[in-house]
Amino acid sequence: MVTRTFSKSDRPLPGFRDGGRQHFMRSTVPATNELDRVRISLSRFVGGGYVVYALLVIPQMVTEAAGVVPAWYPPVGAVLAFGPGIALLIVSMIPKWHQAMPVLIDACTAGLIAAAALWLAFADGSSDHESVWILDFAGLVGITLVLWRPVGVAIVALATGKLLGSAVAITHVADADVWSAIEEALFGMVFSTVFILLVNQVLRMSSELDESRAATEKMMARDVANVELARVDALIHDHVLSTFVSVSADRYDPRLVDQARGALDALDSVVDHDDETVEIDAGEVVARLRAVLAGVDGDLSVTVETSDDAALSPVGVVAALAEAAAEATRNSIAHAGPDAQRAVFIGVSSDLVQVVVTDDGHGFDPGDVPSDRLGVALSIRHRVGTLPGGDAAVISTPGGGCTVRLRWVPSQAREQS
């Protein structure tokens, strides 16, 4: 048996269908740190560089290989030298493949070294011109490697690539200008090192930004604790101490009974709040959620579904869901637009407690939210996402409204799944 309570308009809003069951057709943007974002962007950049160099250098390599190395070398050498970099570009475009990026970045260096080693091992002909194709792009290896490895390792890889390129250039070349090849390698080392250091500095700044953001989140979390302490202090001042003062003034005042009862009720609420392991039934869950939301928007449309076999929920979990839903409602009021309609769905069943806040307002791209805006990150995603069994998602597109989905799965349901 399912109980439904409707308030205000029954018109469904985006992401709020079938009696509160949602069909989320928009993508959820994961919370990714700044360092990862920069690495992904730079991987796409250097991957594009490999494509450009492949188009320019492979024809040059085929020409320079003629008569010097076996006929099988050009396709093999091209795959070794350029394949990992082009694969890096493809992988950087597909989020679920991002974990392969460090391997491909290392493979870029290994591929270049292997291509040079094969040339030196199998070169048996002679040529009148130097084979400089590796020298032309070896610097890209160091710039790629610094995306995931220490700057010193990247510079060593750069030097190795350039020196091997010099060896390839002069191998089996009549009257080869050795010094000219070495000069070319040294110039390439210096030139490419500048870019390696620049990329490393960008990555360092991104890492420091992530650390600063984490520190700010911790500070805000402490502020939340201080706010709660201030609430308790205010309760003691407004209820307990005022009752004592009234008793000292006139212990026979008939109003003291009600005043004392109110103080005791207030203290009980603090005890209940502090003991976050206390479990409450579905009716109390809904009542607490609606009370918090009503404090933000008294005209908010709320739909409720509860099942007879609904599991008990810890008050700490309910408090986190309520605070996150309140923040989502405040964000909607502030940013959805004056003509936006918003609604809330609350569902409590045996295997799920869910709160969905949705509107048909302006919407936005979650990926464009600046990293220093912590309302969504801390007050919604972090607050619910850190609960065992908790999950928070923000689904929105520009012009398509916004849906915030908050879910908590009881431990019994998690164990059965």
Side-chain angles (χ1 to χ4, degrees):
M1 177 180 178
V2 175
T3 302
R4 296 184 181 178
T5 304
F6 297 90
S7 300
K8 295 193 71 179
S9 173
D10 291 337
R11 182 173 69 85
L13 292 176
F16 192 63
R17 303 287 193 269
D18 302 335
R21 305 299 182 186
Q22 307 102 64
H23 302 291
F24 293 106
M25 303 304 294
R26 306 169 194 159
S27 61
T28 301
V29 179
T32 307
N33 61 41
E34 195 64 28
L35 180 59
D36 286 342
R37 289 193 185 98
V38 172
R39 278 175 168 165
I40 291 168
S41 297
L42 290 176
S43 294
R44 293 170 182 171
F45 176 78
V46 298
Y50 270 94
V51 173
V52 172
Y53 269 113
L55 295 175
L56 296 176
V57 173
I58 289 178
Q60 176 186 353
M61 182 256 284
V62 172
T63 300
E64 294 172 349
V68 179
V69 291
W72 56 260
Y73 181 86
V76 173
V79 171
L80 288 172
F82 300 102
I86 296 174
L88 178 63
L89 173 63
I90 296 172
V91 167
S92 68
M93 298 293 184
I94 304 174
K96 65 180 180 180
W97 292 355
H98 283 173
Q99 60 185 0
M101 289 171 56
V103 175
L104 289 173
I105 285 172
D106 290 340
C108 289
T109 299
L112 175 68
I113 293 174
L118 284 177
W119 182 290
L120 296 175
F122 289 95
D124 58 1
S126 61
S127 175
D128 295 330
H129 55 272
E130 296 177 347
S131 303
V132 296
W133 67 276
I134 288 182
L135 271 175
D136 286 343
F137 86 100
L140 194 58
V141 169
I143 297 174
T144 305
L145 195 61
V146 79
L147 295 179
W148 238 274
R149 304 302 174 197
V151 63
V153 175
I155 292 176
V156 170
L158 166 67
T160 302
K162 286 293 187 179
L163 292 176
L164 286 173
S166 298
V168 167
I170 62 177
T171 297
H172 293 275
V173 176
D175 300 324
D177 189 344
V178 177
W179 179 243
S180 177
I182 294 175
E183 282 186 330
E184 178 69 18
L186 291 175
F187 174 79
M189 290 181 201
V190 174
F191 183 78
S192 298
T193 296
V194 174
F195 288 93
I196 290 175
L197 295 176
L198 179 61
V199 170
N200 182 67
Q201 185 63 25
V202 171
L203 295 173
R204 179 181 297 177
M205 292 174 62
S206 300
S207 178
E208 291 175 353
L209 179 60
D210 287 333
E211 293 174 359
S212 176
R213 182 181 182 185
T216 302
E217 290 180 353
K218 290 181 180 179
M219 181 179 65
M220 290 183 67
R222 288 195 299 268
D223 289 342
V224 170
N226 291 335
V227 169
E228 183 63 18
L229 181 60
R231 185 183 74 86
V232 175
D233 289 342
L235 183 149
I236 293 175
H237 176 272
D238 295 342
H239 293 273
V240 179
L241 293 182
S242 63
T243 301
F244 288 157
V245 170
S246 298
V247 169
S248 64
D250 182 3
R251 68 177 64 185
Y252 301 107
D253 189 335
R255 295 173 297 177
L256 282 178
V257 175
D258 292 337
Q259 187 173 350
R261 183 180 294 110
L264 289 174
D265 290 342
L267 288 173
D268 286 341
S269 70
V270 172
V271 173
D272 289 341
H273 182 79
D274 289 341
D275 188 0
E276 296 188 347
T277 62
V278 172
E279 295 185 326
I280 56 178
D281 61 20
E284 182 66 16
V285 169
V286 172
R288 293 192 179 208
L289 291 170
R290 296 193 67 161
V292 172
L293 292 169
V296 178
D297 183 359
D299 295 327
L300 191 62
S301 174
V302 179
T303 300
V304 175
E305 286 189 4
T306 59
S307 59
D308 291 338
D309 61 347
L312 297 176
S313 304
V315 295
V317 169
V318 177
L321 292 173
E323 291 160 1
E327 178 66 18
T329 304
R330 283 189 288 268
N331 287 344
S332 176
I333 294 172
H335 304 296
D339 298 327
Q341 295 191 49
R342 62 190 56 84
V344 173
F345 166 72
I346 300 173
V348 187
S349 65
S350 61
D351 59 357
L352 182 66
V353 177
Q354 182 169 224
V355 184
V356 180
V357 181
T358 186
D359 65 56
D360 58 0
H362 297 320
F364 63 99
D365 183 352
D368 292 339
V369 177
S371 58
D372 58 348
R373 296 289 298 275
L374 301 178
V376 171
L378 182 64
S379 299
I380 297 178
R381 285 197 179 107
H382 179 78
R383 175 172 278 148
V384 177
T386 53
L387 296 173
D391 175 70
V394 179
I395 304 97
S396 184
T397 55
C402 178
T403 297
V404 176
R405 185 198 65 203
L406 311 170
R407 302 172 13 140
W408 175 74
V409 179
S411 57
Q412 301 93 325
R414 296 199 301 272
E415 292 170 359
Q416 294 173 1
S417 61

